[in-house]
Amino acid sequence: MVVAPVLATLLTLPAACDLPHRKDLDDLSKVAAGRSTAASVLLNYDSVRANADARWSDSTLATVEGGPLLRIDAGAYLVSFRLSPDQPLETTPLSGPGVVASPRFGSYPLWFVAELPVPDAGVSRMSLFARKSTTDPWRMMYGPEIAVDATLPEFRTDDPGAAVSVSPHDADGVVMSPARACRDYAKVLQARSSPLRRMFVRDAFLQQMREIQDAQAKLAYASFRQTWSIMPVRYALRLDDGGVLVFATLVRTDRYHVDPGGYLRWNGNSAAKAYLPHGVRHWARLQYDHQILMEIPPVGGGKPAVIGQYGGVVSGVGS
């Protein structure tokens, strides 16, 4: 995924001997994207997304989205197509950008974060766009949502105004590194009795997942087991107070084992029904990807908490 540009050596040549200038050799020690670039990227995203939504086309969407976000939205296409084939998705254009946080890079890939309000939904998407090379398009890789009236932490910037990126394994000045915080948070989701639970705020996302676990545990004629894992953490930004804001993807797997003679099915409003429309008599496995936005406070500043999320079912099998 990384294309490392080579810094060209400056040569003094006669004008007639000028060599062609390759764009991929440009000095990239500057911010990845300013506000005007972010606005242009967003305009293109809205246009392509509207076209993809109208046709449930994940191949079209793949030109402006990538990674787990594409899997989540492709899953939403499948659900919409199978449950409501006569009602194509209605696209809600993103507004903005609001806050734009763009780190400084010396090589590809480049990435930046933009707050994109969705007024009709009452949320803002903290969208992370990445670009592999000069010839690769900007793609939205993360899109966790926060309440539109939520207080967004302020990002730290260097002297020229670029956002400050943080290594996933950097615990300097914070209660734990981004990678460890996300890994331990997944363990808390996995086991409510985990002693690690005292290290995190009981945030809205954690409460929502506990409610799902409790409801599934009451199923008749079937047993339920939920497991959690974390994809590699790559993107984090330093906050003005010394804390860190990290983007991550949690993988949730729901497994069902149906008792002999039993039958398990999902109601008409459940996304799982799109994958298992006829229910199951033996077993089922559903996978969900959850993109989260976690705030990790500075030492002495409290506990990490998930302040935004976006997810959905991405696969389902059973018999």
Side-chain angles (χ1 to χ4, degrees):
M1 181 175 182
V2 178
V3 179
V6 181
L7 297 181
T9 302
L10 296 178
L11 300 176
T12 303
L13 296 173
C17 298
D18 284 352
L19 299 175
H21 178 65
R22 285 179 52 188
K23 290 181 64 178
D24 63 337
L25 298 184
D26 285 345
D27 180 7
L28 296 175
S29 58
K30 58 184 179 181
V31 295
R35 178 167 295 279
S36 61
T37 297
S40 177
V41 170
L42 173 59
L43 188 64
N44 180 63
Y45 176 86
D46 274 344
S47 175
V48 175
R49 180 63 194 258
N51 184 22
D53 285 357
R55 299 183 294 122
W56 293 302
S57 174
D58 50 359
S59 60
T60 300
L61 190 61
T63 64
V64 291
E65 282 191 8
L69 180 62
L70 178 59
R71 287 197 298 275
I72 293 168
D73 286 338
Y77 282 173
L78 183 147
V79 170
S80 177
F81 177 75
R82 291 185 177 177
L83 298 185
S84 305
D86 298 325
Q87 299 178 13
L89 291 171
E90 293 185 6
T91 302
T92 302
L94 301 173
S95 300
V99 174
V100 175
S102 182
R104 187 179 305 279
F105 296 96
S107 63
Y108 284 96
L110 312 181
W111 57 271
F112 70 91
V113 173
E115 178 193 14
L116 307 176
V118 191
D120 293 344
V123 299
S124 285
R125 297 197 78 175
M126 291 304 297
S127 301
L128 188 149
F129 290 88
R131 188 182 191 189
K132 295 179 181 179
S133 70
T134 55
T135 58
D136 196 63
W138 287 102
R139 287 184 172 90
M140 189 188 294
M141 307 298 287
Y142 282 83
E145 298 175 343
I146 61 174
V148 74
D149 58 352
T151 301
L152 182 66
E154 293 188 10
F155 296 105
R156 177 175 294 179
T157 58
D158 59 18
D159 288 340
V164 180
S165 61
V166 178
S167 164
H169 304 289
D170 185 358
D172 184 30
V174 289
V175 295
M176 62 182 80
S177 72
R180 179 190 164 191
C182 294
R183 182 181 66 247
D184 288 355
Y185 190 83
K187 292 178 180 178
V188 172
L189 287 164
Q190 175 85 33
R192 64 178 65 206
S193 61
S194 170
L196 294 171
R197 69 186 187 280
R198 301 183 183 89
M199 302 295 294
F200 296 90
V201 172
R202 187 177 172 84
D203 53 57
F205 180 74
L206 184 56
Q207 293 182 52
Q208 179 187 12
M209 294 302 109
R210 290 288 184 249
E211 291 171 1
I212 291 174
Q213 293 166 353
D214 291 341
Q216 300 298 315
K218 298 175 183 177
L219 290 172
Y221 311 115
S223 59
F224 171 76
R225 180 170 175 257
Q226 187 177 91
T227 56
W228 290 85
S229 61
I230 181 76
M231 291 186 181
V233 178
R234 293 188 174 91
Y235 306 106
L237 290 171
R238 184 71 67 182
L239 298 176
D240 197 48
D241 65 359
V244 170
L245 194 68
V246 55
F247 292 77
T249 300
L250 297 166
V251 179
R252 162 187 153 205
T253 304
D254 289 356
R255 292 180 172 86
Y256 303 85
H257 179 76
V258 184
D259 297 339
Y263 178 65
L264 181 64
R265 64 179 179 180
W266 287 263
N267 63 43
N269 295 323
S270 171
K273 186 177 181 180
Y275 286 88
L276 300 167
H278 306 297
V280 295
R281 295 190 178 278
H282 305 288
W283 62 273
R285 184 177 71 248
L286 294 162
Q287 181 180 314
Y288 299 76
D289 285 355
H290 294 278
Q291 294 197 327
I292 61 170
L293 187 67
M294 179 183 287
E295 183 177 0
I296 305 173
V299 174
K303 303 176 181 179
V306 169
I307 63 173
Q309 71 96 16
Y310 178 75
V313 62
V314 296
S315 69
V317 293
S319 68

